[in-house]
Amino acid sequence: MFRVLSVLRSQWRCHVLSTTQEVITMPKNKKPKGGRPARNFDPSYAKSSSKKPGSRSAGHRGYRPEETDAPAKTRWSRDERVAAGRSPHRGDREGRSYDRDDRAPRTGGERGGRSFDRDDRAPRTGGERGGRSYDRDRNERAPRSFDRDDRGPRREYGDRPARPHYREDRPARSYDRDDRAPRRDRDDRPARFNDRDDRGPRRDRDDRAPRSFDRSDRAPRRDRDDRPARSYDRDDRAPRRDRDDRPARSFNRDDRAPRRDFDRPGFRDSERRPSSFYPAKSTTTHFTPADDVVLERLEAEAIQADEVDGVSFADLGLGNNVVRALKDLGAESPFPIQAATIPVVLEGRDVLGRGKTGSGKTIAFGAPTVERLMTLWAESGKAGGKRQMGRKPRALILAPTRELALQIDRTVQPIAQSVGLFTTQIYGGVPQGRQVGALQRGVDIVIGTPGRIEDLIEQGRLDLSEVVVTVLDEADHMCDLGFLEPVQRIIRRTSEGGQKLLFSATLDQGVAMLVDEFLVDPAVHEVAGEDQASSTIDHRVFVIENRDKRDIVAQLANRDGKTLVFSRTRAFAEDLTDHLEDYGIRAVALHGDLNQSRRTRNLQQLTSGRVNVLVATDVAARGIHVDDIDLVIQADAPDEYKTYLHRSGRTGRAGKQGRVVTLIPRNRQRRMTELLDRAEIDIDFVDVRLGDDLLGQLEGDRAAAEVEVTEVEAIEIAEIDADAEADEELAG
DNA sequence: AAAAAAT
């Protein structure tokens, strides 16, 4: 191959140096390889220690006697499973019974603290909800629904019942310490009885008169009517006791009494006395803009785009079946990143791959993974062919979001199928039954998100011990806080020495933790010359008044062509969606507060073109591919340059044109400049007011119009363009 | 702040 070794001085610009063996230089993790993982992070510890919850010593608060007659674990019937798994919406499940007699009998009679033992629980009865007790709060609350058709009519403010005046019948509270009744001595009190058996029998609930919600039905309130009407006249009030004794408050800063320590010049935080009253301040690192530095570049072997001219997938070492499957997927010949990584993966080496958004990374790891499994199979002498019950997965692909996992499966599944391998998706938010069923039937490639995968591992339903190829898509993101540890735990469950592939458009030293623990002499590959100058994306930044934001988004999104709007929070995504709908713009939302079916459906509505606008949180920032998104609006600017690149990368995919508009308030200009610097995007900001001709600001609207035009229209457009060009020449 | 688990 004609690869040129280069050191990346920048993410996108490659400086060609020499042709020595590539090296990866990363800080060495002190932890010895294969060493026992930290106790807190290893779920196996929890299992291995005490199996039974609760204390074994009688008299202890959590005492729980050994239960020999615990009922056998009852599996949910199919209907129950469906009812529970369909969605968190209450409407979907059977009504909860509040009838106490309806409940399953308690085992053992004595309560001994909550049981976490799965086999220990009472069987579920008809109408009862089977959730764990700590689900209470969540489930008793009316489920939050973002289903737009689902919502009740908006209540007008005037409709609200008046707020009761709670405080009125109480005597004024005194804060005077001497005023209080003397404290009864603790020893005067009879000992408190916590023994449940000692109590009188509980009155049966049914003895009680049914609760009435009829307001006229209620016993009269005691002292309401005795009270004089409340006066809101300020002069009318009794004088406040000690307020007036105080000297008037001064807001003059120099007037203040000196604060004890804190005002002293040179006072340092470390001098503060430790207080046991307040819980310790969280020591977890919070994100600050200063953290968003461009991490040290990974040295990488860069493939030149023109090197792949005339190279076919077969040339790279893929078998006929796989090549045919790729062709069916529309991949006729390899993209540069594919040409770079496929042969190396087939060699069995660990690989770090960086290819810009929309450059075909899924096939870059998916196709060789499938081929590699077949090779290893052949080498081990085990024939493939028939699906064997309980065949353990040999490849694992991890993604940060469910939608991305689904999307990867849509690409990898047909490739796998072409050689008789099976894939399955393992992700949360959906009933696990089908996923478990697939695993039981035998699966070769597992594609999913960390949470459910770990869950199934702990349940003993997923065994990764034979996984010899592990892929991390969006690998740098998988190393972010909150993702890294589950990911590490999962990889530790895979076969030791298995091949590891890490891919991302923004692959940087952030993956050092994983590389250090799991990868051996990885090959690092990227595509040369993938800088923003060569990009097909046009970037704009509009400086706006924050209060105009929603209207400006609406104005921008009010067009033909698919638009993806990013919001920082789920709530604002909903808010924006509402606002767009008010404008008559069909829009749907995508964020983590929606149930999975809604998420899938809403994304599908954009893909199919049923709606033109999707308002999403960063759940849609990475990896999601929707054809022909030609405008990305960042209603909230991102904090990280990598987020900027990934969000932008939802448009301008596979060589198509795209545009990104970022809205920022005036006071964010400096931060935005720094962010764009790191992303190596060089653009000027435009001041924009509501009502301006925004689309006029977006010159070059033609790219958007080229989607789905008939031949006749295309000719017309070409003529118009020719005219415009002629005009320009005349003008210039 | 968001994402990722709740049979």
Side-chain angles (χ1 to χ4, degrees):
Chain A
M1 278 312 207
F2 323 94
R3 260 171 237 121
V4 182
L5 176 75
S6 77
V7 170
L8 265 191
R9 240 192 59 207
S10 68
Q11 183 90 15
W12 306 105
R13 293 198 180 92
C14 302
H15 293 260
V16 179
L17 284 187
S18 64
T19 48
T20 49
Q21 183 64 271
E22 74 275 14
V23 202
I24 178 164
T25 47
M26 294 198 157
K28 272 292 166 204
N29 191 341
K30 302 292 178 298
K31 207 185 305 165
K33 190 165 176 164
R36 198 75 172 119
R39 192 183 179 105
N40 324 349
F41 303 137
D42 187 358
S44 64
Y45 274 101
K47 287 237 161 110
S48 60
S49 55
S50 64
K51 270 171 245 122
K52 284 273 182 194
S55 166
R56 239 159 283 280
S57 51
H60 189 278
R61 193 168 140 263
Y63 172 58
R64 205 159 130 236
E66 289 293 337
E67 288 156 348
T68 45
D69 54 346
K73 178 175 181 174
T74 20
R75 303 227 25 179
W76 289 20
S77 77
R78 193 184 160 279
D79 287 347
E80 286 169 323
R81 206 180 311 123
V82 168
R86 205 154 42 183
S87 83
H89 289 274
R90 174 170 283 175
D92 286 346
R93 55 171 98 216
E94 298 164 47
R96 180 172 178 182
S97 163
Y98 288 91
D99 187 342
R100 305 209 108 209
D101 302 331
D102 212 33
R103 293 193 305 185
R106 269 213 165 113
T107 51
E110 209 162 87
R111 196 178 67 148
R114 196 168 67 202
S115 161
F116 288 93
D117 190 332
R118 309 181 64 83
D119 298 322
D120 207 306
R121 292 188 306 190
R124 199 169 169 182
T125 55
E128 254 257 329
R129 192 174 55 89
R132 291 182 183 171
S133 52
Y134 52 74
D135 274 341
R136 276 177 70 102
D137 288 345
R138 194 188 272 198
N139 288 315
E140 282 185 0
R141 207 169 47 192
R144 186 170 176 185
S145 165
F146 288 105
D147 187 335
R148 312 180 63 81
D149 313 318
D150 222 37
R151 292 185 299 193
R154 236 177 161 158
R155 214 170 39 170
E156 293 303 325
Y157 283 103
D159 285 355
R160 277 200 300 212
R163 218 169 149 182
H165 299 281
Y166 296 106
R167 316 207 86 123
E168 252 73 278
D169 15 7
R170 278 203 302 233
R173 185 166 176 185
S174 163
Y175 287 92
D176 189 339
R177 306 205 107 218
D178 302 319
D179 226 25
R180 294 184 302 188
R183 199 161 171 178
R184 217 168 37 159
D185 199 290
R186 287 205 153 217
D187 302 332
D188 289 350
R189 274 199 306 225
R192 188 166 171 187
F193 253 118
N194 285 315
D195 190 339
R196 306 201 111 218
D197 298 333
D198 231 303
R199 295 185 304 189
R202 205 158 172 181
R203 213 168 42 152
D204 197 288
R205 288 216 149 193
D206 300 334
D207 288 353
R208 269 203 312 219
R211 184 170 177 186
S212 162
F213 288 94
D214 187 344
R215 307 202 108 215
S216 54
D217 221 30
R218 293 187 301 190
R221 261 179 113 158
R222 255 181 318 172
D223 34 9
R224 261 252 165 119
D225 303 327
D226 304 345
R227 204 170 50 180
R230 183 172 179 179
S231 162
Y232 287 94
D233 188 340
R234 307 204 106 216
D235 304 327
D236 223 29
R237 292 185 302 187
R240 262 176 122 161
R241 252 189 318 175
D242 34 13
R243 260 261 164 109
D244 302 330
D245 302 343
R246 271 196 314 217
R249 183 171 178 182
S250 161
F251 288 95
N252 187 339
R253 305 203 107 217
D254 306 326
D255 241 20
R256 292 185 303 185
R259 270 174 95 182
R260 263 170 322 191
D261 252 346
F262 313 109
D263 280 355
R264 171 164 58 76
F267 172 77
R268 275 173 306 173
D269 223 36
S270 55
E271 294 179 48
R272 254 179 231 276
R273 271 179 300 142
S275 159
S276 56
F277 185 80
Y278 295 103
K281 209 170 170 183
S282 162
T283 50
T284 52
T285 48
H286 293 280
F287 181 87
T288 63
D291 293 337
D292 183 29
V293 290
V294 177
L295 287 171
E296 199 183 325
R297 306 301 186 186
L298 292 166
E299 285 184 40
E301 218 172 314
I303 187 169
Q304 301 294 333
D306 55 10
E307 289 175 37
V308 302
D309 287 350
V311 178
S312 72
F313 281 116
D315 296 338
L316 299 173
L318 296 175
N320 287 337
N321 288 334
V322 171
V323 172
R324 211 172 305 123
L326 288 173
K327 191 168 182 174
D328 291 343
L329 285 168
E332 301 270 348
S333 56
F335 288 165
I337 186 65
Q338 297 160 358
T341 59
I342 288 174
V344 198
V345 175
L346 292 178
E347 281 172 30
R349 285 189 69 182
D350 289 346
V351 174
L352 306 185
R354 175 170 48 219
K356 67 174 180 179
T357 54
S359 66
K361 288 188 291 294
T362 308
I363 287 175
F365 60 72
T369 296
V370 170
E371 190 70 46
R372 178 94 183 122
L373 288 188
M374 296 308 284
T375 311
L376 287 172
W377 218 345
E379 283 172 3
S380 70
K382 285 183 205 156
K386 283 255 177 78
R387 186 172 194 169
Q388 298 148 336
M389 285 298 276
R391 196 157 83 196
K392 290 177 187 168
R394 289 173 298 137
L396 169 68
I397 302 176
L398 282 174
T401 64
R402 300 165 185 171
E403 283 74 15
L404 186 51
L406 265 164
Q407 182 183 298
I408 293 169
D409 187 50
R410 279 198 290 270
T411 300
V412 174
Q413 193 272 335
I415 302 175
Q417 194 184 40
S418 73
V419 294
L421 297 183
F422 293 88
T423 71
T424 196
Q425 312 147 0
I426 307 285
Y427 59 87
V430 294
Q432 70 170 24
R434 268 184 40 162
Q435 299 174 355
V436 171
L439 289 172
Q440 283 164 353
R441 286 195 301 278
V443 154
D444 303 288
I445 303 175
V446 163
I447 301 165
T449 49
R452 177 64 63 85
I453 288 177
E454 244 197 321
D455 191 8
L456 293 191
I457 292 173
E458 281 171 38
Q459 290 180 36
R461 297 167 190 271
L462 174 59
D463 179 355
L464 297 180
S465 62
E466 289 183 18
V467 166
V468 287
V469 183
T470 306
V471 183
L472 262 72
D473 198 8
E474 307 298 343
D476 58 322
H477 191 217
M478 300 295 258
C479 291
D480 283 351
L481 217 65
F483 264 131
L484 178 63
E485 284 166 10
V487 167
Q488 283 174 323
R489 288 193 296 259
I490 290 169
I491 300 180
R492 285 178 193 133
R493 299 294 192 122
T494 66
S495 164
E496 199 174 333
Q499 192 176 5
K500 311 285 188 300
L501 314 176
L502 272 51
F503 280 77
S504 176
T506 52
L507 200 68
D508 58 16
Q509 292 282 4
V511 296
M513 286 294 288
L514 288 182
V515 171
D516 213 50
E517 182 176 354
F518 300 110
L519 277 73
V520 181
D521 184 29
V524 192
H525 288 275
E526 68 175 354
V527 179
E530 280 191 339
D531 56 5
Q532 291 299 323
S534 74
S535 167
T536 53
I537 303 172
D538 174 43
H539 299 268
R540 301 295 163 96
V541 174
F542 288 176
V543 181
I544 61 160
E545 292 289 343
N546 241 340
R547 61 169 177 275
D548 297 337
K549 188 185 275 182
R550 300 188 310 174
D551 293 321
I552 289 179
V553 169
Q555 215 180 322
L556 284 167
N558 193 10
R559 57 192 274 282
D560 295 329
K562 289 177 189 171
T563 306
L564 178 55
V565 183
F566 281 105
S567 135
R568 192 174 60 100
T569 66
R570 304 160 173 190
F572 188 52
E574 278 302 315
D575 181 52
L576 266 178
T577 311
D578 278 349
H579 198 70
L580 290 170
E581 290 273 343
D582 288 348
Y583 265 81
I585 303 168
R586 291 282 291 127
V588 288
L590 180 65
H591 55 75
D593 266 348
L594 301 171
N595 65 43
Q596 192 52 40
S597 65
R598 180 62 62 179
R599 279 168 66 161
T600 310
R601 178 155 23 131
N602 286 0
L603 180 57
Q604 207 274 328
Q605 287 194 311
L606 182 74
T607 312
S608 68
R610 270 205 52 196
V611 302
N612 264 345
V613 183
L614 181 72
V615 187
T617 58
D618 278 332
V619 68
R622 284 176 176 252
I624 301 304
H625 178 93
V626 175
D627 271 343
D628 306 324
I629 292 177
D630 46 43
L631 175 61
V632 167
I633 301 171
Q634 308 199 62
D636 299 310
D639 283 327
E640 241 191 316
Y641 83 94
K642 291 206 273 183
T643 309
Y644 184 99
L645 291 175
H646 284 283
R647 285 174 169 189
S648 307
R650 297 317 99 208
T651 185
R653 294 178 76 79
K656 288 185 181 162
Q657 292 294 317
R659 191 166 34 230
V660 178
V661 177
T662 307
L663 306 181
I664 58 166
R666 203 156 289 285
N667 63 13
R668 192 155 178 142
Q669 291 180 94
R670 189 198 209 106
R671 266 174 76 186
M672 194 63 199
T673 309
E674 288 166 4
L675 183 148
L676 290 171
D677 261 7
R678 296 188 194 104
E680 304 190 338
I681 295 166
D682 185 22
I683 46 165
D684 293 325
F685 299 171
V686 188
D687 277 304
V688 159
R689 287 158 183 280
L690 190 58
D692 282 0
D693 176 16
L694 297 181
L695 290 176
Q697 298 285 349
L698 306 173
E699 331 137 23
D701 225 12
R702 277 168 300 155
E706 276 168 20
V707 182
E708 289 176 9
V709 288
T710 64
E711 275 184 41
V712 177
E713 284 170 327
I715 292 167
E716 284 171 3
I717 291 168
E719 284 171 358
I720 294 166
D721 287 350
D723 286 349
E725 277 169 33
D727 286 349
E728 275 168 26
E729 276 178 29
L730 282 176

